[in-house]
Amino acid sequence: MKKIGELLVEQGKLSERDVERALLAQSEMGEMFGQVLVKLGLVSELDFANVLSTQIDIPLLSASDYPEEPVQLDALAQDFMFSHHVVPLAKSDAGVSFAAAVPQDPFLAKALRMALDCPVDISLGLESDINRALQLYLQQDESEEDEVFDQFGGQSDDEFIEHLKDLASEAPVIRLVNQIIHRAVDMQASDIHIEPFEDGLHLRYRIDGVLQDHPDPPAANLSAAIASRIKLLSHMNIAEQRLPQDGRIMTRVKGHELDLRVSTIPTVHGESIVMRVLDRESIRLSLPDMGFSEDTLSKYQDLLARPHGVLLVTGPTGSGKTTTLYASLASLDSDRLKIITVEDPVEYQLQGVNQIQVQAQIELTFARALRAILRQDPDIIMIGEMRDTETAQIGVQSALTGHLVLSTLHTNTAAGAITRLEDMGVERYLITSSVNGVLAQRLVRTLCSHCKEEVPLGSADMEASGIAAFLEPGQKTVYQAVGCEHCMHTGYSGRTSIHELFPLDDEMHRVIMMGADATTLHAAARRQGMYTLYEDGLRKVAKGLTSMEEVLRVTQDQSDDVVEDVAAVESLDVEQAVI
C-alpha cells in the first residue's frame, strides 16, 4: 500500500519538499500526518480525506449524510464521541453506523462494539462535519439545563452557590467549556471572550489580533454555570460575583500544553470572562523568525551584544513585546551568562534562565526583586515591564553598574520611550548614559497564501502612500486580502511584526541633552535613517506579506501625510527645532 504522502504527490496536491516539511513538523507536533498537512495549509481537509478514502478503501461521507437530529445511544458516553471525533449516523436491528475522522483506528471499532454489544459500521467523515454533528448533542443538553435553572427561584445565596457548583460539575457544562477551549486551539486564537449581554451570551475569539464572533454562542441561561465552571478550574472564589478576579488554568488540549490566564469582571448582566491562551508549543523563540527586516535585525543584534546598558521594547498590550524579549534571551548564551528575569506573569519557561514571578500579595514587587537580583551576580536582567519610577531608576542604575537590562515600556513610538523615562523621574543625563536603544513593535496579519490577490498600483497611490521607495524596479502591484476556507474567509492567516528601531548614538545623545520633545527626537532619528513602523509595514506590503489596509489599521497615527513628513525630516535643523 502506498503511503498517503506518495498518493498526494502523485495527484499533484503536494511536492516532495512539502512532504518533508510535514514529516518534520509531525515529529515536533506529535499529531497524525493528515492533521499536520491540514494545519500547515498544504492541502485542504477535503483533498486529504479523498486520498485517505482511496487508500483505506472506506467511503467518504458528505455533509448531507449526517442526521438532522442527534442519534441517542445510552450505552455510549458523549465524552468518548467528542474525544475520538466519532458520531452515530443511524441505528437499526442490523447495528449502528458511525462517521469517524480516523475510521481505520482498530481501537475505535473494538471499543464501539464492546460498548454497544452489536455490529458497527464506520465510514470516513470530515472532522468539520463531525464537529457540527456533535454540536447537536450540546444544544440538546442546553435545552435540558433550562429546566434546572427554572428551579433556582426562591433559594438562598448559599443554596444558589451550591447549585452552581453542582451544575458546573455536570457533564453538559464540562463538555461545553472544553469545546470552547478546544475550538480556540483549532482556530489558533489568542483570547477567548465570554460576555453576557441583555440579548444573550456572546462568545468571541481573538484571532490574529482581531475579535471574531462565534456563530453558535452558548445559551444565555448557561452563563452562570459556565462562569462557575471556569472559576472552579482557575481556583477562584466561586461565591464572589461582585468583584474582579484573576486565575490560571493549566491543561493539555490535543497534544498542546496550554496555559490559560483567566480574568473575570462583574457587569450588569453577569460576569464577563476573558481567557488569554498561551500555547507553549507555538511560541517562536528565534529572532530571525520574528519578522525583522534584515537591516533592523542586524542593528538590534548589535545592541543586544553590548555588555551593558538598557534595551527597551515598546508597544501596546498584545504587540508581542514579551515574545521578542524571550527570543532575545534565547539567542544569548545562557551557559556562559547569568540571566535573571522578573516577570508578571512568567509566560514561558526558558532553559537556563532564572525567572522570578512577581507576587504583590507578599510584597514581592519588581523593585524589591530587582534589588535582590543585583546581589546574585547577574550578567543580564530582564524586567517584564517598567511600571513605576522605582523600577525604572533601579533598571538604569543596574545598567550603569555593568549589566545588560532588557525591559518593556508602554509608548506609541520608540522616541516616546525617552520622554516616558523622563516622566518617570529618570534624568536625561542618566538616559543618555544607560539606554542603548529602543525598539517599537506592532503585529500585522499576514495574507493568506491560498487566496491573496494581486492588484495594480497607480502613480498617485504610490506617491500618496509613500510605498514607491520600497518597490522593486518595475514593480507596480501589491497584494490584497480576499478570503477563503483556509483563512475562515478573513483573507489573513498568521501574523508578523513591524519594527521601529531607535538607537541612541552620539547625535541622539546631543539632541536628548538639548531637551528635545518626543516629536523632535522622532524627526531627528528619521534624519539618521530610522524607518518608522509605517514604513517598515510598507516594506512588507511591497514583499507581498501583508496588505496596505492591514498596515494602515495598525499604524493609523503614523501614516498621515507620510510624504510631507519625509520632506520635513530631510530639511530639519535639530538645533532650530529644539530652540
Side-chain angles (χ1 to χ4, degrees):
M1 183 184 295
K2 289 187 177 180
K3 294 182 178 180
I4 197 78
E6 295 175 358
L7 293 173
L8 288 167
V9 171
E10 287 180 1
Q11 295 187 12
K13 304 295 184 182
L14 285 179
S15 66
E16 296 285 356
R17 175 60 180 156
D18 290 334
V19 174
E20 292 175 4
R21 287 172 53 201
L23 289 172
L24 182 61
Q26 182 187 21
S27 65
E28 297 177 356
M29 298 167 66
E31 298 183 359
M32 298 187 69
F33 185 65
Q35 293 174 321
V36 173
L37 289 175
V38 174
K39 283 190 176 181
L40 292 178
L42 297 174
V43 296
S44 69
E45 185 183 12
L46 180 58
D47 285 342
F48 174 78
N50 281 322
V51 174
L52 178 62
S53 175
T54 302
Q55 186 201 41
I56 62 178
D57 195 25
I58 295 179
L60 174 64
L61 301 174
S62 65
S64 60
D65 294 323
Y66 293 82
E68 295 182 1
E69 296 292 331
V71 177
Q72 296 297 335
L73 298 173
D74 294 336
L76 188 62
Q78 289 185 23
D79 287 343
F80 179 87
M81 292 191 291
F82 277 92
S83 61
H84 290 82
H85 288 93
V86 58
V87 64
L89 303 176
K91 59 180 179 180
S92 64
D93 294 339
V96 183
S97 60
F98 289 89
V102 191
Q104 70 272 28
D105 183 0
F107 164 78
L108 179 63
K110 184 177 180 180
L112 290 174
R113 283 195 298 268
M114 289 180 63
L116 301 175
D117 193 24
C118 70
V120 297
D121 178 60
I122 306 177
S123 299
L124 175 63
L126 296 180
E127 189 170 330
S128 54
D129 290 339
I130 292 172
N131 285 338
R132 276 193 292 271
L134 289 173
Q135 291 300 316
L136 297 175
Y137 290 91
L138 290 179
Q139 294 170 9
Q140 185 180 63
D141 291 336
E142 289 170 8
S143 62
E144 293 173 358
E145 294 301 332
D146 289 344
E147 302 176 6
V148 177
F149 270 90
D150 290 341
Q151 301 171 10
F152 273 28
Q155 295 182 339
S156 68
D157 290 344
D158 290 341
E159 290 173 331
F160 180 76
I161 291 168
E162 285 303 316
H163 271 291
L164 282 181
K165 286 183 178 180
D166 292 340
L167 189 57
S169 301
E170 291 292 328
V173 176
I174 293 173
R175 281 195 299 271
L176 182 53
V177 172
N178 288 344
Q179 280 292 104
I180 291 172
I181 296 173
H182 284 213
R183 198 173 292 121
V185 174
D186 291 338
M187 296 191 297
Q188 297 181 332
S190 61
D191 299 87
I192 306 169
H193 293 247
I194 304 171
E195 305 159 311
F197 289 102
E198 187 175 4
D199 61 343
L201 194 63
H202 291 202
L203 175 61
R204 298 192 290 175
Y205 294 91
R206 188 176 295 279
I207 303 170
D208 294 335
V210 178
L211 278 174
Q212 297 183 18
D213 283 316
H214 190 267
D216 300 311
N221 60 285
L222 285 176
S223 175
I226 291 171
S228 299
R229 175 63 185 168
I230 293 172
K231 288 164 74 174
L232 282 174
L233 290 173
S234 51
H235 307 290
M236 296 182 190
N237 181 4
I238 193 174
E240 181 55 76
Q241 300 178 345
R242 301 164 300 171
L243 295 174
Q245 294 189 66
D246 294 302
R248 181 177 181 179
I249 303 173
M250 301 290 290
T251 185
R252 185 174 182 86
V253 176
K254 297 183 177 180
H256 294 256
E257 291 287 347
L258 291 189
D259 184 357
L260 303 175
R261 304 295 166 83
V262 185
S263 172
T264 69
I265 59 170
T267 70
V268 292
H269 298 293
E271 288 184 284
S272 176
I273 300 173
V274 175
M275 291 186 279
R276 166 66 59 89
V277 183
L278 300 175
D279 186 350
R280 300 190 176 194
E281 297 177 10
S282 67
I283 186 173
R284 295 173 299 176
L285 293 180
S286 171
L287 280 176
D289 294 336
M290 297 296 294
F292 281 92
S293 300
E294 289 185 11
D295 54 345
T296 304
L297 177 60
S298 177
K299 293 176 182 177
Y300 181 75
Q301 288 176 325
D302 289 342
L303 294 175
L304 198 60
R306 295 188 182 181
H308 54 78
V310 177
L311 184 54
L312 296 172
V313 181
T314 73
T317 301
S319 60
K321 301 186 300 295
T322 303
T323 305
T324 296
L325 286 182
Y326 277 142
S328 302
L329 293 178
S331 69
L332 300 171
D333 187 354
S334 60
D335 291 334
R336 293 191 307 107
L337 299 170
K338 175 80 169 183
I339 304 175
I340 306 180
T341 74
V342 190
E343 306 169 61
D344 184 20
V346 174
E347 295 188 5
Y348 299 99
Q349 296 176 17
L350 302 176
Q351 182 69 31
V353 177
N354 299 276
Q355 295 173 270
I356 301 173
Q357 168 77 54
V358 169
Q359 299 187 57
Q361 64 272 23
I362 58 172
E363 298 183 0
L364 180 57
T365 61
F366 278 106
R368 185 171 182 179
L370 281 173
R371 284 193 293 268
I373 282 175
L374 294 176
R375 296 191 289 272
Q376 290 278 312
D377 186 31
D379 295 298
I380 298 170
I381 301 170
M382 196 269 269
I383 306 171
E385 182 184 343
M386 286 190 177
R387 296 181 178 176
D388 52 50
T389 298
E390 189 177 9
T391 303
Q393 290 177 339
I394 295 175
V396 167
Q397 292 295 334
S398 300
L400 292 173
T401 54
H403 304 91
L404 180 62
V405 178
L406 310 180
S407 186
T408 67
L409 204 61
H410 284 287
T411 60
N412 290 327
T413 63
I418 304 302
T419 54
R420 175 73 178 126
L421 285 175
E422 189 179 12
D423 292 341
M424 294 171 72
V426 181
E427 298 290 343
R428 283 185 177 249
Y429 73 89
L430 291 175
I431 294 174
T432 57
S433 302
S434 61
V435 179
N436 294 337
V438 184
L439 179 75
Q441 177 172 306
R442 300 289 190 279
L443 293 176
V444 294
R445 293 180 292 172
T446 52
L447 289 165
C448 174
S449 59
H450 294 91
C451 65
K452 66 179 182 180
E453 182 177 82
E454 204 169 11
V455 291
L457 275 177
S459 300
D461 294 330
M462 288 192 286
E463 187 173 347
S465 64
I467 197 175
F470 308 108
L471 296 173
E472 295 290 334
Q475 182 182 352
K476 294 186 180 296
T477 60
V478 293
Y479 288 89
Q480 68 178 5
V482 178
C484 65
E485 62 178 10
H486 296 282
C487 58
M488 294 185 288
H489 301 283
T490 62
Y492 299 94
S493 178
R495 287 189 289 180
T496 189
S497 307
I498 56 175
H499 302 95
E500 176 180 290
L501 184 60
F502 178 73
L504 269 69
D505 54 17
D506 293 339
E507 175 65 16
M508 289 300 103
H509 290 167
R510 186 175 66 86
V511 177
I512 292 171
M513 291 306 296
M514 292 170 63
D517 59 15
T519 303
T520 306
L521 286 171
H522 184 78
R526 292 286 304 281
R527 192 172 71 167
Q528 293 291 99
M530 180 186 78
Y531 288 105
T532 65
L533 289 165
Y534 175 66
E535 289 170 331
D536 195 41
L538 291 181
R539 293 202 279 186
K540 290 178 169 58
V541 172
K543 291 181 178 179
L545 296 176
T546 189
S547 68
M548 183 69 73
E549 292 78 12
E550 179 66 8
V551 171
L552 289 172
R553 179 184 71 84
V554 175
T555 63
Q556 292 177 25
D557 55 336
Q558 296 197 7
S559 58
D560 297 336
D561 302 322
V562 65
V563 176
E564 291 80 354
D565 185 42
V566 170
V569 171
E570 290 176 348
S571 61
L572 176 69
D573 187 317
V574 174
E575 293 188 14
Q576 290 181 0
V578 172
I579 294 171

